[in-house]
Amino acid sequence: MPTPDPNPQPRLVPVEEFFADPGFIVPTISPDGTRIAYLAPHNGRRNVWVRGVDQSHDDAVPVTHDTRRGITTYHWTDDPRFLLYQQDTDGNEDWHLHRVDLDDPDAPAVDLTPMGPGSRVFVVEPLSSVPGTVLVWMNPEVESIDVFRVDVASGEVVLHHHEADPLVTTLLDRRGEPAFQVATEDDGTIAISGIDRANGTPRLLRRMGGAEYPLSVQPQLVTPDGDGLLVGSYAGGDDLRLVRIDRETGEETVVAAVPGRSLDNFGILAPGVLPPAVYTHRG
């Protein structure tokens, strides 16, 4: 019987294996609960695959066919026929929103946001009040980021909200109506205001920020009822807690806090890749 090596060496990992794409990441269930989408290798790049919830990868179908740069972010729509994904050109980070037809997965993807150099899609969110559409934050004019309503089936793009001040971000509720305003002041402080439902006027609720917020104030999530804003706050201690700021009164209440631990908000650096600070139910 051979003598065991007292100093076994770790296995050398081939460079191809070290840099290979994962076999299966970012799985999500379709809104109707019948299918699963996920990212997996196809054509030597990371692409989106779709299969039934009771099927295996052997039954899955690749619905994107990128051969130059792997796909990282995709979105289900409220129409089970269509799926969306974001992609740039060879790493230039000018992200566009593309549509694929799940009824015809071999058909070329459609660019729903054809824009020139320097313009990109920043955020994509569903808009339940207008079925068949999504809200897209993008800068077709380069200088300013506005919110557009994109019809997924037709590709029609309509301006939904214009942001006149580049240092201000308007946060919308689930109906696409302005709910809060977040402004960056000259000293870097973040000023949070609630928007009056009757006249649309912002009312200052509180100021936050400083050296303890290297990623600014994150997250910034409007509650489903539109009456509160969920943010990460150090108020009252050394740990980052998830708190709710009331839209009318500015009152701050703790939603989640773990003594000795801080809320992980680094997902803002790579949305769709790193875990989000807060998981929400699409309903």
Side-chain angles (χ1 to χ4, degrees):
M1 183 174 184
T3 302
D5 187 342
N7 299 301
Q9 298 298 309
R11 180 177 72 90
L12 293 178
V13 179
V15 67
E16 294 81 7
E17 180 180 338
F18 186 83
F19 286 103
D21 282 325
F24 183 109
I25 57 171
V26 197
T28 60
I29 299 176
S30 62
D32 62 8
T34 64
R35 289 179 286 188
I36 296 175
Y38 54 93
L39 301 177
H42 172 58
N43 290 333
R45 292 292 182 268
R46 189 172 55 247
N47 276 281
V48 183
W49 296 66
V50 173
R51 62 178 174 83
V53 293
D54 296 322
Q55 295 179 321
S56 69
H57 185 61
D58 291 339
D59 306 303
V61 175
V63 298
T64 64
H65 309 279
D66 200 289
T67 60
R68 300 178 66 85
R69 176 168 160 84
I71 293 169
T72 298
T73 305
Y74 69 91
H75 315 269
W76 286 104
T77 72
D78 56 8
D79 186 334
R81 177 179 174 181
F82 298 119
L83 185 142
L84 308 176
Y85 71 94
Q86 288 165 240
Q87 185 58 291
D88 65 355
T89 301
D90 296 335
N92 66 359
E93 298 190 1
D94 285 352
W95 306 99
H96 287 208
L97 185 66
H98 300 265
R99 184 195 71 204
V100 293
D101 186 344
L102 300 185
D103 289 346
D104 188 8
D106 292 325
V110 176
D111 186 352
L112 296 178
T113 55
M115 300 178 288
S119 299
R120 69 185 64 173
V121 168
F122 293 87
V123 178
V124 178
E125 291 186 357
L127 182 60
S128 58
S129 60
V130 185
T133 68
V134 291
L135 291 180
V136 180
W137 280 252
M138 57 184 176
N139 62 337
E141 302 302 323
V142 181
E143 293 84 5
S144 62
I145 301 173
D146 293 319
V147 187
F148 295 83
R149 190 170 63 250
V150 178
D151 186 289
V152 175
S154 70
E156 180 185 17
V157 178
V158 177
L159 179 64
H160 183 83
H161 176 79
H162 170 61
E163 204 72 87
D165 188 339
L167 296 180
V168 170
T169 299
T170 301
L171 305 180
L172 309 180
D173 63 18
R174 288 196 173 185
R175 295 186 57 82
E177 299 296 330
F180 290 86
Q181 189 179 86
V182 179
T184 304
E185 300 184 331
D186 291 341
D187 63 354
T189 299
I190 302 300
I192 298 176
S193 301
I195 296 178
D196 189 280
R197 283 187 168 89
N199 56 32
T201 302
R203 183 178 60 260
L204 181 65
L205 300 175
R206 69 178 56 250
R207 288 183 169 89
M208 305 174 65
E212 67 268 35
Y213 293 90
L215 299 178
S216 185
V217 176
Q218 298 293 341
Q220 298 174 9
L221 298 175
V222 179
T223 57
D225 58 10
D227 293 335
L229 179 66
L230 299 179
V231 301
S233 173
Y234 283 106
D238 296 328
D239 304 320
L240 189 65
R241 305 179 301 174
L242 184 67
V243 304
R244 176 188 182 275
I245 298 174
D246 189 83
R247 180 173 178 175
E248 298 295 330
T249 67
E251 180 184 3
E252 183 177 302
T253 55
V254 177
V255 175
V258 179
R261 295 183 181 274
S262 285
L263 180 72
D264 180 4
N265 61 4
F266 276 81
I268 192 65
L269 298 176
V273 179
L274 298 177
V278 179
Y279 289 87
T280 58
H281 189 286
R282 66 165 61 98

